[in-house]
């Protein structure tokens, strides 16, 4: 999954109507603006420390550009650090965010200054492992490859001793997902937040796990596809287990708020007044702006499946949108 996605992201711009999928910042400028203002508000209440803006997997750079513009209106103009492995997406980001600095992971991000961090639809792209309950107990689901044919097979290694007790006797065929890569990124991030101060907003589709369920999916041309077909030519993702990410952050001493639904989060941040202001400035776009808002916040659309957690350094205020 990691190798397939590295090739996939490294060789194209997958976003937008002509690509494979569309993300919240590509739907409306309101998304990046409100995320930027949430961070600014927090920074303000934290005493306006010297800060850096850090974004994981910035795609076309749209969120970073919208957030930066919104932050600047209230006096926050931090250096921008983009964590991106794809050369083709780095080119897009360079146009959207002049002056940014690029990194392949957090290691190269300077260790001075508080970190104001965003990760939107980043963790879902990191590789997962799947364990499956068979008649003989829990085994790993692996991928067999013969010529150009890829198929799921069941491995021999016994995993029963590491399965949480609640799932040990799950029915045959049950699947339990883990994402060691995601946990490693979250631990590194939380460690830096604890050491330097700051906060991270992590937004993605997912669940408050761990939980039973197969969420591996492939998307191509805005439709679901077979994940075992054409590796590297379609987007492979899994739903994000926010419960496990939160536990990883807490293990490093960070404070975690949420998850809350993306809809409730954006409403609390004021997407209503922002949509009204944009519609007043461009009445001919009022209907389109209302549609965009509904797409980002509606319960049947992105409002509930998409969730937000905030990870903060101890002593930092509670970010807006998360009940105290
Ligand atoms: N955040 C953007 C793009 C989401 S797509 C948006 O909301 O529109 C996922 C992004 O993560 C892409 O920019 C992809 O190149 C990047 N990415 C995927 N795996 C990565 C990895 N292991 N390290 C760094 N970036 C990665």
């Amino acid at each position: 999954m990691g190798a397939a996605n590295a090739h996939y992201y490294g060789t194209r711009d997958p976003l937008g109507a002509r690509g494979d999928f569309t993300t919240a910042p590509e739907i409306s400028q309101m998304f990046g603006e409100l995320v930027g203002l949430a961070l600014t508000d927090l920074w303000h209440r934290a005493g306006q420390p010297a800060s850096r803006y850090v974004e994981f997997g910035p795609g076309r750079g749209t969120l970073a550009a919208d957030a930066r513009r919104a932050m600047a209106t209230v006096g926050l103009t931090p250096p921008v650090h983009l964590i991106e492995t794809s050369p083709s997406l780095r080119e897009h980001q360079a146009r959207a965010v002049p002056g940014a600095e690029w990194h392949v992971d957090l290691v190269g991000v300077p260790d001075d200054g508080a970190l104001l961090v965003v990760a939107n639809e980043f963790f879902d792209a990191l590789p997962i492992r799947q364990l499956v309950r068979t008649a003989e107990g829990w085994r790993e689901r692996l991928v067999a490859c013969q010529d150009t044919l890829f198929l799921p097979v069941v491995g021999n290694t016994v995993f029963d001793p590491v399965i949480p007790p609640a799932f040990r006797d799950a029915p045959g065929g049950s699947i339990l997902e883990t994402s060691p890569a995601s946990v490693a990124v979250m631990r590194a991030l939380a460690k830096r937040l604890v050491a330097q101060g700051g906060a991270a907003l992590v937004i993605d589709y997912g669940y408050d796990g761990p939980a039973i369920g197969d969420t591996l999916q492939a998307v191509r041309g805005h439709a679901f596809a077979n994940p075992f077909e054409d590796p590297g030519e379609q987007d492979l993702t899994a739903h994000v287990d926010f419960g496990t990410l939160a536990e990883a952050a807490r293990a490093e001493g960070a404070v975690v708020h949420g998850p809350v639904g993306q809809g409730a989060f954006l409403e609390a941040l004021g997407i209503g007044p922002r949509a009204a202001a944009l519609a007043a400035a461009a009445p001919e776009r009022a209907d389109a702006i209302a549609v965009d808002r509904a797409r980002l916040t509606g319960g049947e659309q992105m409002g509930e499946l998409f969730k937000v957690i905030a990870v903060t350094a101890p002593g930092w205020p509670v970010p807006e949108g998360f009940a105290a």
Side-chain angles (χ1 to χ4, degrees), residues 2 5-6 8-10 12 14-15 21-26 31 55-63 82-90 93 103-105 118-127 181 185 203-204 235 237:
N5 272 348
Y8 174 77
Y9 285 107
R12 76 206 69 208
L15 290 153
F21 59 93
T22 300
T23 56
E26 301 299 331
F31 185 81
E55 189 176 331
F56 284 89
R60 287 179 172 170
T62 309
L63 195 170
L82 303 179
I83 298 175
E84 176 62 70
T85 42
S86 160
S88 63
L89 287 172
R90 280 187 181 197
Q93 294 155 16
H103 310 271
V104 292
D105 54 30
V118 180
N120 186 62
E121 289 207 42
F122 168 76
F123 281 97
D124 67 74
L126 299 186
V185 171
I203 308 146
D204 224 309
D235 184 43
T237 68

